[in-house]
Amino acid sequence: FLAMPEVTGSVYKEDVFSNRKDAEGMLWRAYHRALRDGLPEGWGIYHGTLASLSGEISRGYSWHNGYTVVVNGPDPANVPQGIPAMYDEGWQVIRICWLVIENIDMVPEAELSTEMKEYMKGEAYALMAYRYMGMLYRWGGVPIVNKAFAMTDDLNIPRASVEQTVNHILSLVTEAYNRLPDDWVDIESGVGEKWVGRMTKGAALAIKARTLTFAA
């Protein structure tokens, strides 16, 4: 009882991927951050929607993020979590996805089947491809990250060319497509449509098509 308790608040990957619920929570975090690419968090259900920005409904109060856009125009420098935050968050999403890919197999088979683990890896690859696509739109070539870095790794990754970035997106799409299901209806016994809305083979192909159209 005299042992020093863990008081740092640290969360270890061995704990996160020791059970299905926490492992899925990591993937949900990637979904939440990846799919709102370009939109600040916390806009709420009204403020920041098209109706609010166009004047159809209230612009909100001065502490709402959408208010700043309405008053000052679409200047990224005046939007909380604007362009710099979008860039930073892209790497956060990519790290989360790599953590899922590299560690999901630690979840006990009794809680998460091998098939579902492969689906989740596919989702992580697709989410990375989606976020890299958004960065390609804005910045062209960006660094290529192929793993979840440790503190001891060299983080000075050079900027890739546009062509290398496009090819990386396509490789991520291929990895996703080879793992994702066509749809999620009854993907597990008795779940019905519970998981509808998650990444599918069709979604991966849509990312590929949009990337190639932009690159062309």
Side-chain angles (χ1 to χ4, degrees):
F1 71 95
L2 293 177
M4 177 66 72
E6 172 61 80
V7 295
T8 64
S10 299
V11 178
Y12 301 99
K13 62 184 180 183
E14 290 80 9
D15 297 327
V16 172
F17 293 99
S18 66
N19 63 87
R20 175 171 182 164
K21 180 180 177 181
D22 290 342
E24 286 180 335
M26 180 70 82
L27 184 61
W28 305 159
R29 184 181 180 192
Y31 266 104
H32 169 68
R33 290 183 171 273
L35 297 184
R36 64 180 180 84
D37 182 20
L39 291 175
E41 186 173 15
W43 276 20
I45 194 167
Y46 298 119
H47 309 300
T49 63
L50 181 60
S52 173
L53 301 179
S54 66
E56 181 181 349
I57 63 174
S58 168
R59 64 187 178 184
Y61 296 102
S62 59
W63 56 83
H64 288 121
N65 293 350
Y67 180 95
T68 308
V69 179
V70 174
V71 172
N72 297 316
D75 179 0
N78 291 320
V79 181
Q81 298 188 32
I83 294 295
M86 285 162 51
Y87 185 78
D88 293 345
E89 188 178 65
W91 305 116
Q92 296 173 30
V93 170
I94 290 166
R95 175 171 173 77
I96 293 170
C97 289
W98 276 121
L99 286 171
V100 171
I101 293 167
E102 294 172 358
N103 297 286
I104 193 67
D105 288 331
M106 289 196 294
V107 180
E109 183 75 17
E111 294 192 38
L112 196 61
S113 68
T114 299
E115 186 177 38
M116 281 299 294
K117 290 174 183 177
E118 288 301 304
Y119 291 155
M120 292 174 71
K121 290 177 186 179
E123 291 174 275
Y125 278 115
L127 291 169
M128 278 196 290
Y130 180 80
R131 201 58 195 242
Y132 260 109
M133 181 180 69
M135 292 195 291
L136 174 70
Y137 286 173
R138 298 176 178 91
W139 300 292
V142 292
I144 303 300
V145 175
N146 286 313
K147 67 174 185 175
F149 288 118
M151 293 297 291
T152 54
D153 288 327
D154 181 5
L155 304 182
N156 293 313
I157 309 300
R159 181 178 184 176
S161 67
V162 169
E163 181 178 5
Q164 289 171 326
T165 303
V166 170
N167 288 335
H168 181 61
I169 296 170
L170 299 182
S171 70
L172 293 172
V173 167
T174 298
E175 294 289 346
Y177 182 86
N178 290 337
R179 290 173 171 82
L180 289 170
D182 289 314
D183 66 67
W184 288 88
V185 177
D186 287 326
I187 200 73
E188 294 177 296
S189 177
V191 301
E193 297 185 353
K194 177 180 179 180
W195 296 129
V196 170
R198 293 167 69 168
M199 285 287 186
T200 61
K201 289 185 183 294
L205 292 179
I207 295 171
K208 179 178 181 178
R210 190 173 177 184
T211 298
L212 289 174
T213 301
F214 182 80

